[in-house]
Amino acid sequence: MPERKTIQDYLQAVGEQIRWKRARPVVLWELERHLEDQRDAFAAEGRENPEELAVAEMGDPVSVGAELDLLHRPRPQWGLLALTILLAAAGAFLRFWLTRDFSIYFAEKLSHVVGGFVLGCLALLCGYFLDVGRLGRYPGLAYLGTLAASVVSLAVFPNTNGVSYYTRYVSLCFPVVYALWLYGCRGKGWKGQAFAILGGVPLAVVCMEIPHAFGLLLLLTAGFVMMLLAAAWDWFGIGRWKSLLLPAAAAAGVLAAAIDNVHSSGYLAARLEAAFHPETDPLGAGWTSIMIKKVLEISRWLGEGDLGGGSVESFEMMVPDCDQSALLTTLIYRMGWLPFLLVAVALAVLVVWLLCRCVRQKSKLGRLVALAVGMTLLGEALCSVAWNLGFAFLAAEFPLVTGNLHTVLAMGLIGLALSVFRGDSIARETRGRAVHLPRVRLRISLERIEQ
Amino acid sequence: MELDRSLISGSIPLLVMKLLEAGDLYGYQMIEELRRRSDDTFHLKAGTLYPLLHGLEEKGYVTAYEGEAAAGKPRRYYHLTAQGRDALREKEAAWNQYARAVGRVLKGGTCCAGA
């Protein structure tokens, strides 16, 4: 066995035994600090070769590395991965099958659906192998990058019916990006907390510019919940109760603005009225709710509903957006309540599974990111189900079922949450310090040559 | 007299958790504290301590966080959780039972105690 004399030699020998590369710098950082403490203690005692002595005190690097290797292995998330892929495959089939003979709305081509599924699986794997801790080291970059992408998307992509559809997809990443932003503001006192809250403003403005009511509500709700968690963890270092003051003031301000909007503009009030009492405006804002409810009344437990001799065209004429936000209504009408319940229960299992795993995470950043993903999926699922049961207030895609591009995005987000669970054994709160060892070390020695 | 290592190895988790019961410590402090409290009897190698600490963290008996040591140096502190305290109580009870039993045997067995 070669003799290890320097701290770096020892750490290299330990690191060689740890197979998971991501675990090496995290584990070795702690050993390095210990060796430095031991070396300084020996030096203070006046002993010769303190570094060599400190290394000798540590024990055999191979057996230490082997033990640490067993403890720090990635935790594969096979169950959640399989459930996500299964649900996405079912969603792809449903998108194709339910819209196969549409003539008014968009009939999905098989190649598009298969392409969406394959790209979704790639996004899932990309997210799965991504290091969330690394993202947490550059929160400002992640935040500004997403903001810039959404502004470019607003400016470049054409609007359809006054809505920037592609920017809607970018806005679904806002809760995750806000979690990273919040993480970057920790430990900076009142100023940090003020920055954390102000960081939500440009994102909210983008949601209003799209316009995307669901995205805005999701951002505000997720942001408030995450801010409460940050206060409970005393992330800003101003005390738990004091940390609640600014978020409470911001929430009160948002609520007051919403109430004022309901009274002054009339648009929000009309939307609420139409959602709760669609019969008051049956040919206008209440049309979608009334038609969805009519279709649901004639749907069966299994098999296609009976529109009274009506064709697919008449169904498409009745239910607006039956290929997108009302796709679940199409599912209920064309295949029955039972397939709908199966899909809804499968997604509920996935979301509850994600949220339960999220609670058990060691890393607070990981917990926030997983929570942001879980809340995004849960919010979309709840709003989509409510819309498709006749409460047409906030339109949202049903995760992994509605829309090819949306499925790709949802799978990428789920992959990100799974990467948190996968790397939990090496999750560390590093207070902004980069944990890394150089991949290549150069050893330069100078020799004096006597002439 | 040097202690037989096999006598100590099984009790190291108990000793480490007992140290953490009084307050949060980082690895180097634990080794020094253990040496001090045992009058230089227990000289724990860092190579033994860290895998043990990471294993206890895995079981949820301890949590770790980054804190500042002397001169503002960042160190990884360990904190005994409520679950860890329960496990410590169980281990202490088991150890006391074991120590009493060994003591009785060494003194000649229960039948001869006090004879």
Side-chain angles (χ1 to χ4, degrees):
Chain A
M1 190 178 69
E3 202 178 345
R4 316 283 176 187
K5 288 188 175 178
T6 68
I7 289 177
Q8 288 307 321
D9 285 343
Y10 184 85
L11 293 175
Q12 192 179 354
V14 174
E16 281 165 3
Q17 303 305 312
I18 301 173
R19 284 169 289 172
W20 192 17
K21 284 184 184 172
R22 262 174 64 187
R24 286 178 195 165
V26 178
V27 173
L28 297 185
W29 180 84
E30 192 178 22
L31 294 183
E32 191 175 10
R33 298 290 85 76
H34 184 100
L35 279 158
E36 286 169 1
D37 281 343
Q38 188 65 72
R39 178 198 61 199
D40 294 347
F42 281 138
E45 286 171 15
R47 313 234 329 231
E48 281 185 23
N49 301 323
E51 186 165 340
E52 213 172 305
L53 289 172
V55 167
E57 281 283 302
M58 291 294 283
D60 176 26
V62 174
S63 57
V64 172
E67 276 192 68
L68 290 169
D69 173 63
L70 289 176
L71 285 164
H72 298 291
R73 301 290 305 143
R75 293 173 184 160
Q77 302 295 317
W78 300 123
L80 282 164
L81 275 173
L83 184 57
T84 306
I85 292 172
L86 203 69
L87 202 52
F93 166 75
L94 290 174
R95 278 197 300 283
F96 171 69
W97 187 254
L98 294 173
T99 63
R100 64 192 185 283
D101 46 5
F102 275 9
S103 55
I104 301 170
Y105 283 98
F106 189 67
E108 290 279 11
K109 287 181 186 162
L110 186 62
S111 58
H112 286 186
V113 168
V114 172
F117 175 70
V118 171
L119 281 176
C121 289
L122 284 176
L124 179 72
L125 290 179
C126 283
Y128 184 67
F129 288 110
L130 199 73
D131 182 359
V132 173
R134 201 178 286 265
L135 278 179
R137 286 201 288 279
Y138 309 104
L141 202 64
Y143 174 85
L144 289 175
T146 312
L147 195 60
S150 52
V151 170
V152 168
S153 167
L154 271 175
V156 171
F157 292 115
N159 287 9
T160 312
N161 298 329
V163 177
S164 177
Y165 273 95
Y166 288 104
T167 320
R168 279 165 47 120
Y169 297 122
V170 184
S171 75
L172 290 176
C173 301
F174 286 176
V176 170
V177 170
Y178 189 70
L180 294 170
W181 175 256
L182 197 57
Y183 181 73
C185 294
R186 75 202 191 286
K188 293 175 182 163
W190 287 104
K191 206 169 123 187
Q193 196 182 32
F195 265 117
I197 293 171
L198 287 174
V201 176
L203 302 178
V205 169
V206 169
C207 289
M208 287 189 277
E209 284 297 311
I210 296 172
H212 192 201
F214 169 75
L216 181 63
L217 189 67
L218 176 70
L219 175 69
L220 293 174
T221 313
F224 186 65
V225 170
M226 287 192 276
M227 192 58 88
L228 289 184
L229 275 178
W233 296 331
D234 195 17
W235 258 11
F236 304 104
I238 51 178
R240 286 188 172 87
W241 291 108
K242 284 183 184 169
S243 302
L244 291 173
L245 291 176
L246 279 182
V254 168
L255 209 61
I259 292 169
D260 179 57
N261 189 284
V262 168
H263 288 295
S264 61
S265 82
Y267 172 72
L268 199 57
R271 287 281 301 268
L272 280 167
E273 179 72 15
F276 284 102
H277 305 289
E279 66 282 354
T280 55
D281 188 11
L283 296 176
W287 171 265
T288 306
S289 290
I290 289 172
M291 288 302 121
I292 286 176
K293 283 177 183 168
K294 272 189 180 171
V295 167
L296 296 183
E297 278 169 17
I298 50 95
S299 296
R300 295 175 175 161
W301 270 105
L302 202 60
E304 190 157 335
D306 184 10
L307 267 178
S311 59
V312 178
E313 283 79 14
S314 56
F315 170 76
E316 286 181 81
M317 294 281 279
M318 273 181 79
V319 183
D321 260 351
C322 56
D323 61 336
Q324 285 288 320
S325 48
L327 187 71
L328 292 183
T329 307
T330 312
L331 168 66
I332 296 169
Y333 169 67
R334 302 202 77 173
M335 296 180 82
W337 282 97
L338 204 59
F340 161 74
L341 287 175
L342 280 176
V343 169
V345 167
L347 189 80
V349 168
L350 179 71
V351 173
V352 170
W353 196 345
L354 274 175
L355 290 173
C356 288
R357 297 294 309 275
C358 160
V359 173
R360 292 205 298 265
Q361 290 314 292
K362 277 192 305 193
S363 150
K364 287 176 179 145
L365 170 65
R367 218 182 295 176
L368 271 196
V369 168
L371 179 70
V373 172
M375 284 183 76
T376 304
L377 298 177
L378 183 67
E380 282 195 300
L382 288 177
C383 284
S384 176
V385 168
W387 184 280
N388 284 277
L389 292 181
F391 185 77
F393 180 60
L394 285 174
E397 282 91 347
F398 192 79
L400 304 177
V401 174
T402 315
N404 290 322
L405 193 56
H406 181 265
T407 299
V408 175
L409 183 80
M411 290 178 88
L413 287 176
I414 293 171
L416 200 63
L418 299 192
S419 86
V420 170
F421 309 151
R422 178 174 174 267
D424 190 42
S425 79
I426 54 161
R428 300 283 187 271
E429 304 297 330
T430 57
R431 301 197 307 176
R433 169 182 52 76
V435 179
H436 61 85
L437 285 180
R439 286 176 188 275
V440 180
R441 258 199 306 276
L442 291 176
R443 187 168 290 169
I444 300 169
S445 58
L446 297 174
E447 270 182 46
R448 186 176 169 187
I449 300 167
E450 298 290 341
Q451 295 288 331
Chain B
M1 183 184 67
E2 194 160 323
L3 276 178
D4 183 352
R5 279 189 181 191
S6 62
L7 283 177
I8 318 167
S9 60
S11 58
I12 293 175
L14 168 67
L15 297 174
V16 167
M17 285 161 75
K18 191 68 188 170
L19 290 179
L20 290 173
E21 193 186 28
D24 301 353
L25 297 169
Y26 58 92
Y28 184 76
Q29 282 182 318
M30 285 182 220
I31 290 175
E32 290 300 302
E33 186 64 13
L34 192 61
R35 192 186 300 183
R36 190 186 63 77
R37 282 209 215 173
S38 67
D39 289 332
D40 268 345
T41 307
F42 296 142
H43 187 176
L44 192 58
K45 292 259 186 202
T48 309
L49 176 68
Y50 286 103
L52 170 76
L53 283 171
H54 293 191
L56 291 175
E57 196 183 359
E58 186 76 21
K59 288 178 187 164
Y61 293 167
V62 298
T63 55
Y65 63 93
E66 199 178 299
E68 277 183 9
K73 291 178 182 174
R75 292 291 180 266
R76 197 156 186 257
Y77 283 84
Y78 289 87
H79 169 82
L80 193 66
T81 61
Q83 196 186 341
R85 283 178 197 278
D86 291 343
L88 174 63
R89 271 194 291 275
E90 279 176 27
K91 279 181 191 289
E92 269 188 287
W95 173 261
N96 289 332
Q97 189 184 354
Y98 171 77
R100 276 196 302 272
V102 170
R104 278 199 296 269
V105 171
L106 291 180
K107 285 175 190 167
T110 316
C111 64
C112 312

